[in-house]
Amino acid sequence: MSTPPSSSSAPIPTLASPGMRDAADDSDSPPSHMSEDSDGSGAGPGGDTWTPDLRGTNGGNGGNGGRWAPPDQVLENVLESVLEFLTAARDRNAASLVCRSWYAAEAQTRRELFIGNCYAVSPARAVQRFAGLRAVVLKGKPRFADFSLVPNGWGARVSPWVDALGPAYPRLQRICLKRMTVSDDELALIPRSFPLFRELSLVCCDGFTTRGLAVIAEGCRHLRVLDLTEDYFHEETEVVDWISKFPECNTSLESLVFDCVSVPFNFEALEALVARSPALRRLRVNDHVSIEQLRRLMARAPHLTHLGTGSFRSEPGSSGASSVSDLATSFAAAAKSLVCLSGFLDVNAEYLPAIYPVCANLTSLNFSFASLTSEELIPVINHCVNLRVFWVLDTVGDEGLRAVAETCSDLRELRVFPLDATEDSEGSVSDVGLQAISEGCRKLESILYFCQRMTNVAVIAMSENCPDLVVFRLCIMGRHRPDRVTGEPMDEGFGAIVKNCKKLTRLSVSGLLTDKAFAYIGKYGKLIKTLSVAFAGNSDMSLQHVFEGCTKLQKLEVRDSPFGDKGLLSGMNYFYNMRFFWMNSCRLTVKGCGDVAQQMPNLVVEVMKDHPDDEGEVDTVDKLYLYRSLAGPRTDAPEFVNIL
Amino acid sequence: MEDAEIRKRRGVCSTALLLNWVGRTAEQDQEEEEEKTLELSLGLPGGGRRRTACREKGKHPAVDGSVDLSLGYSKVVPNSQVHTSGWLDLRVSRKGLDGLVLQLPDCFSSDNLNLFGSLMAHSKANGSPEAVTRNALAAPNNNSSRTRSPGAPVVGWPPVRASRRNLASSSRAALEQQNVKKAVKAEETKRAPFVKVNMDGIPIGRKIDLNAFNTYEKLSVAVDKLFRHLLAAQRDPRTEECPPEEVAISGLLDGTGEYTLVYEDYEGDRVLVGDVPWGMFVSSAKRLRVLKTSDLSSSLITSNRKRTAADC
């Protein structure tokens, strides 16, 4: 059933290929256990040891006339114990393809299952193959759902998975979900099905409320990690005091992240919880936590490594408002352990100097929700000499980025978000800032940069100064905007990036781009796994360049570009090697998509229309989402989704 | 780029067009021939290229080469599209009530392409500049004749998650800050417009109060004073002694100096400083730039100056 995948032809997809890994995840937050290439926690030796049984079917050390295990059995047992050491899914996928016995041994010993597209395989099939899972990572909706491009009700409900995993893996410890719909009832299944449950991580999920959180808190007695990151939390009718539901004895909590759960909660309960959680190292609170409350929490948790500071503002009308030096004392006490600081959700800039005592030790700083001017930010930046990850709003300005370039020579990841995410906003950073960063932060590996003005020269400079770039995402917010100095398209800039940054695996392009840019991408972007295209290119040749050239392409997202059926068809030979292809607001027709669906049986081709009741427009396709799948067309598609 | 804009600005005071170009095949061009079209001719920067072939379009031939956009109505005969070196024909067709879509014929090559993707403008027919901009932006990229409703914002662009939208307006502090800024801005535009001045090659900008001067000469002197030191510091801090020798920045207004003063108005057009009456300049200038004269074509500047003199 398994065939070794060849790099060029389209193999019959096996369970191995949908699990094929992609590196840098597009998760918007530091925790990287959503990435396929990471080793995953708890799955390696020492974390969860499994000792092979070399004694054969009868127990006992040779006593009671115990039989020796037959040679094949021994070999298999040895194999299983060796495979134990393989943790990365890519390695495991490769091992499983060697031969039948390796396949079986691997299936027995895989501890973490990564499924990049929840519709690529049925839960039953996964359960059938893998006997001993301890952790499951599932991703659901396409990434463009984050930008309101996927209508509500599209799918990615976790219920079929929870229903299947429950009976199959009573020892399951960890569930990580990204872009899936999780209801409170489904959350309630977790403590019931998995008595040893330890870690729940929900990223960009929706559908649950504080009621579901309460069930988790109360039911999962061994909970170590509860991470809620950028989930869509709707206002509820009645907020449940979920924090009070944690066990009253000392807990095993190591990480509690709930900054996106932006409803009031019982602070005293949280303070008490923190006080009885000696293992707590990561705490990120929501914006209903004031400076005074933050200080109390910090006093209770002196060994925190990751802190989300909440509002970073004094309680309004508070008589006992903390002074800046009081707050600085709190931070000084935390200086030895704190390496990651975030929050600042409603920051009062006057309090910023309080964090100076920890800045020198910080490796990660997230100011991306803090509207601070460059004058307010630069003094902080100047203290952060060891920074590796910096997220900030574009109010930092080119001058602020210059300060980063001068101070943070070790910077690996930079993200500059727009304060005003509209096309014609002022935009406070430009090519000047990018150039400065490229000159000062030579070890840069990942950049996400929103701006209004850019030049090819600056992008080329970055390509030359930062050869270690793995992720390059540039968003020039004005559509079709050319080089601000020369008026030329941005082709040469992006061309230089793909040419000079030989480790590049993820690329997002923007600005005025012609087919030439895509010719460059196809020619040089040999390691690119994820490509995002918007408002770019002039003809279907662009897509053809990409499909033919980017041999490692896994995920392709395209919007609002002049590509039609011809471009789509040029990818025919490559779709089985990819996880998915998304295309919206281009020039596709139902016929073209239908042709693809017909010729490729293991591909699910979903098309959606924005206004299904428009007459005379039956032929056009507004949204196309196609993905390889062993499960066939899904049965839970809503009526606005047409599976061809 | 700047050339094209400036040239354009010179001749046609009140018209220009938002270009949002999308490549199309020749077959599609032919389908369009029956539609009413606005025709646009755009010269490439680098100055002085003239049309070498006459077109059968009838109306609005270019006025001597170094020019301006000319707008008018005509039927385009597809087969007669002669593609000469350096000139592009852009056809704009109307889709629906208000939408404008611009298509470039397929035969242009990117080697020749040196124009701004977006020139701000408004057309008499369609009223306010904002409406046309929005409409053109809303023009569809697919070949269905159904357009997005004019003025509809593009969904999910720029691509930031919901938690990051409305950051500017969500927090209390930001709201206060914004209100304060708005109030200040309103005040400023009423009485004293501080405009930013940026000089080519110098990352640090400055701000000046235009109301503090009443002639172009005084403005020029002020700009010189502001940037003289920065320019000297930029020159080569390592080899020059400190303080580095400061050279006056002259000839900003007449094109004789190394740098020339240019301003941007509220529509985003770039205009040479010095041509309109001072009061009009103060009320329309949004920011100033000091650009290298060599970046602007010198013949252009002189020819423009002559024309302006003639117009006034």
Side-chain angles (χ1 to χ4, degrees), chain A residues 167-329:
Chain A
Y169 307 113
R171 302 172 75 93
L172 194 73
Q173 296 172 350
R174 181 156 75 90
I175 292 179
C176 304
L177 303 176
K178 185 165 185 179
R179 287 194 201 96
M180 297 199 71
T181 299
V182 188
S183 72
D184 290 335
D185 293 332
E186 282 143 15
L187 283 181
L189 281 178
I190 292 179
R192 253 186 275 158
S193 313
F194 313 117
L196 301 176
F197 196 71
R198 288 193 199 170
E199 295 185 26
L200 181 64
S201 171
L202 302 177
V203 181
C204 298
C205 294
D206 65 287
F208 62 95
T209 70
T210 48
R211 185 170 72 83
L213 296 180
V215 178
I216 296 283
E218 190 168 17
C220 301
R221 316 294 293 176
H222 304 281
L223 197 66
R224 295 190 187 180
V225 171
L226 181 57
D227 283 355
L228 307 165
T229 310
E230 303 227 35
D231 301 303
Y232 301 97
F233 213 75
H234 299 294
E235 310 240 331
E236 319 157 44
T237 46
E238 196 191 308
V239 176
V240 174
D241 181 5
W242 58 284
I243 303 258
S244 306
K245 302 290 192 294
F246 281 94
E248 296 210 353
C249 53
N250 275 6
T251 76
S252 339
L253 268 183
E254 296 169 8
S255 175
L256 181 60
V257 172
F258 64 96
D259 42 356
C260 64
V261 182
S262 186
V263 290
F265 64 94
N266 182 341
F267 177 77
E268 279 66 33
L270 178 65
E271 189 179 3
L273 174 65
V274 169
R276 66 179 189 278
S277 303
L280 194 67
R281 296 292 175 268
R282 298 201 334 216
L283 179 64
R284 295 196 174 117
V285 298
N286 68 20
D287 56 347
H288 290 266
V289 173
S290 66
I291 294 244
E292 292 73 27
Q293 291 172 322
L294 179 67
R295 290 191 62 214
R296 285 159 65 177
L297 293 173
M298 290 174 76
R300 300 287 190 177
H303 303 296
L304 284 180
T305 56
H306 296 61
L307 178 63
T309 59
S311 69
F312 217 72
R313 169 174 290 279
S314 231
E315 231 154 83
S318 139
S319 49
S322 288
S323 67
V324 180
S325 55
D326 288 340
L327 187 59
T329 311

Side-chain angles (χ1 to χ4, degrees), chain A residues 38 49 62 192 289 381 389 438 444 450 458 474 491 502 523:
Chain A
S38 69
T49 46
R192 253 186 275 158
V289 173
I381 292 171
V389 175
S438 79
L444 203 63
F450 283 85
L474 176 63
D491 298 341
K502 307 211 194 311
K523 183 171 180 191

Side-chain angles (χ1 to χ4, degrees), chain A residues 354-413:
Chain A
I355 71 172
Y356 291 169
V358 298
C359 285
N361 276 346
L362 282 184
T363 55
S364 172
L365 180 56
N366 181 352
F367 273 140
S368 65
F369 289 98
S371 174
L372 296 164
T373 63
S374 57
E375 287 85 22
E376 290 159 346
L377 282 166
I378 290 177
V380 179
I381 292 171
N382 286 338
H383 282 81
C384 298
V385 290
N386 284 316
L387 215 55
R388 293 206 165 193
V389 175
F390 187 46
W391 292 18
V392 71
L393 287 176
D394 63 354
T395 52
V396 69
D398 289 331
E399 318 81 70
L401 291 178
R402 185 183 308 280
V404 173
E406 285 165 6
T407 314
C408 312
S409 55
D410 225 8
L411 199 69
R412 309 298 162 109
E413 177 178 326

Side-chain angles (χ1 to χ4, degrees), chain A residues 421-440:
Chain A
T422 56
E423 272 189 274
D424 38 20
S425 63
E426 188 52 42
S428 325
V429 297
S430 71
D431 50 285
V432 173
L434 191 74
Q435 176 109 23
I437 291 287
S438 79
E439 287 161 6

Side-chain angles (χ1 to χ4, degrees), chain A residues 28 146-147 230 313 346 368 417 421 450 477 479-480 486-488 538 559-560 586-587 611 614 617, chain B residues 1 20-22 114-115 137 141-142 144 146 148 154-159 161 163-165 171-173:
Chain A
D28 212 40
D146 290 349
F147 315 128
E230 303 227 35
R313 169 174 290 279
D346 191 10
S368 65
F417 294 96
F450 283 85
M477 292 192 277
R479 289 171 285 164
H480 307 292
T486 65
E488 285 175 355
N538 355 38
R559 66 167 295 176
D560 291 282
C586 298
R587 299 174 176 189
H611 308 283
D614 262 1
E617 294 302 334
Chain B
M1 297 47 66
N20 184 15
W21 57 266
V22 170
N114 250 338
L115 41 82
L137 282 176
N141 278 334
N142 53 33
S144 76
R146 175 171 68 87
R148 297 184 206 219
V154 181
V155 175
W157 185 264
R161 291 198 182 132
S163 55
R164 296 194 186 278
R165 293 215 169 262
S171 73
R172 286 168 279 166

